[in-house]
């Protein structure tokens, strides 16, 4: 464990919340995020159904997640700049590896990190993350700024969901049976956070 002590909460089979685990490095992470955004700007993407997502996003790492009328996929080049995505900062990847290890997953080496920015009224509907080839690898998520209600269900869309509030610095690691669970994010309510103002940022580290 790299940082101070923190509480570990069991969320579901394969999913664990590390409460406030990223709080000690939040300002460093936000500085890195702002440098990534300077190189590959936040953008609104369209779902394959032609609806704009309410969350703005960008990526860093060898590949980045994109969505447009042709579907969801990972791309080596940022479609806005035509350039490779900004490299993943070394401290980003080592942090994710260390957090995954704390949750019981060894050797997590993410090749991409999706940066989502939520503003008042943003939400994310229930979905599965299944665009990656190696579903034995976990996903590490870091929440920064304003809190949201995270919804977590089962492997069928109609399975019941539980709700858990994710706050600044909280980390969730999803592996095993949780890797293909349906999940979503409730409305971001108006508010202000000393470090992120009116926003919530989420970092999602994945092995594609
Ligand atoms: C559970 N993002 O970008 S992170 C996404 O807060 C996404 O921005 C949300 O879902 C956000 O795809 C939730 C937590 C998360 C990420 C991936 C998962 C939960 C997951 C994959 C499988 C199960
Ligand atoms: Fe997701």
């Amino acid at each position: 464990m790299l940082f101070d002590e923190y509480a570990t909460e069991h969320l579901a089979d394969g999913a664990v919340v590390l409460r406030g685990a990223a709080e000690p490095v939040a300002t460093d992470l936000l500085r890195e995020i702002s440098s990534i955004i300077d190189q590959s700007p936040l953008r609104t993407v369209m779902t394959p159904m032609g609806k704009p997502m309410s969350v703005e996003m960008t990526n860093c790492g060898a590949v980045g997640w994109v969505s447009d009328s042709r579907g969801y996929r990972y791309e080596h080049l940022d479609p806005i700049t035509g350039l490779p995505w900004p490299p993943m900062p070394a401290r980003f990847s080592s942090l994710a590896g260390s957090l995954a290890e704390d949750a019981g997953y060894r050797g997590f080496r993410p090749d991409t990190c999706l940066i989502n920015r939520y503003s008042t009224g943003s939400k994310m509907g229930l979905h599965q993350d299944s665009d990656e080839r190696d579903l034995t690898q976990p996903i590490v998520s870091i929440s920064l700024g304003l809190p949201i209600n995270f919804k977590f269900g089962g492997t069928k869309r109609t399975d019941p969901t539980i709700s858990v509030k994710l706050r600044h610095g909280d980390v969730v690691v999803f592996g095993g049976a949780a890797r293909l669970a349906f999940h979503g994010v409730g409305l971001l309510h108006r508010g202000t956070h000393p470090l992120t103002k009116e926003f919530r940022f989420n970092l999602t580290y994945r092995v594609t």
Side-chain angles (χ1 to χ4, degrees):
M1 179 159 38
L2 280 180
F3 311 114
D4 313 1
E5 299 272 310
Y6 50 78
T8 298
E9 293 171 23
H10 172 89
L11 182 64
D13 195 9
V16 53
V17 183
L18 312 175
R19 275 299 170 201
E23 203 277 327
V25 291
T27 32
D28 301 338
L29 292 177
L30 288 164
R31 193 177 313 114
E32 302 275 23
I33 289 170
S34 119
S35 147
I36 290 162
I37 291 170
D38 287 344
Q39 301 163 68
S40 271
L42 287 166
R43 77 285 313 266
T44 302
V45 305
M46 293 288 183
T47 65
M49 297 300 292
K51 294 238 259 171
M53 289 181 68
S54 61
V55 175
E56 297 172 284
M57 49 187 66
T58 188
N59 294 273
C60 65
V63 294
W65 186 85
V66 301
S67 172
D68 59 23
S69 56
R70 290 163 31 220
Y72 306 125
R73 64 199 175 279
Y74 287 96
E75 294 271 13
H76 287 91
L77 301 181
D78 175 350
I80 290 194
T81 63
L83 298 170
W85 298 99
M88 193 180 312
R91 59 168 322 151
F92 255 55
S93 37
S94 60
L95 171 67
S98 154
L99 292 165
E101 187 149 342
D102 285 1
Y105 299 96
R106 291 180 57 188
F108 180 64
R109 297 277 179 279
D111 61 348
T112 184
C113 178
L114 173 66
I115 299 168
N116 290 328
R117 188 178 76 172
Y118 294 73
S119 45
T120 309
S122 296
K123 58 180 165 27
M124 191 178 285
L126 215 58
H127 67 277
Q128 281 174 307
D129 287 22
S130 54
D131 302 322
E132 301 76 30
R133 276 169 303 198
D134 186 358
L135 297 173
T136 68
Q137 289 293 323
I139 287 180
V140 173
S141 151
I142 300 180
S143 293
L144 297 169
L146 291 176
I148 46 90
N149 280 314
F150 176 70
K151 291 173 208 150
F152 190 78
T155 52
K156 297 198 300 286
R157 183 176 288 281
T158 52
D159 286 341
T161 58
I162 54 171
S163 207
V164 58
K165 193 161 188 162
L166 295 181
R167 301 179 191 83
H168 180 68
D170 287 349
V171 175
V172 194
V173 181
F174 302 91
R179 181 62 180 77
L180 280 174
F182 277 88
H183 58 279
V185 176
L187 270 188
L188 186 90
H189 299 294
R190 181 181 303 281
T192 182
H193 185 278
L195 296 183
T196 66
K197 307 293 181 226
E198 70 268 45
F199 301 115
R200 168 185 187 251
F201 288 90
N202 181 266
L203 299 175
T204 308
Y205 298 85
R206 303 186 177 95
V207 175
T208 61

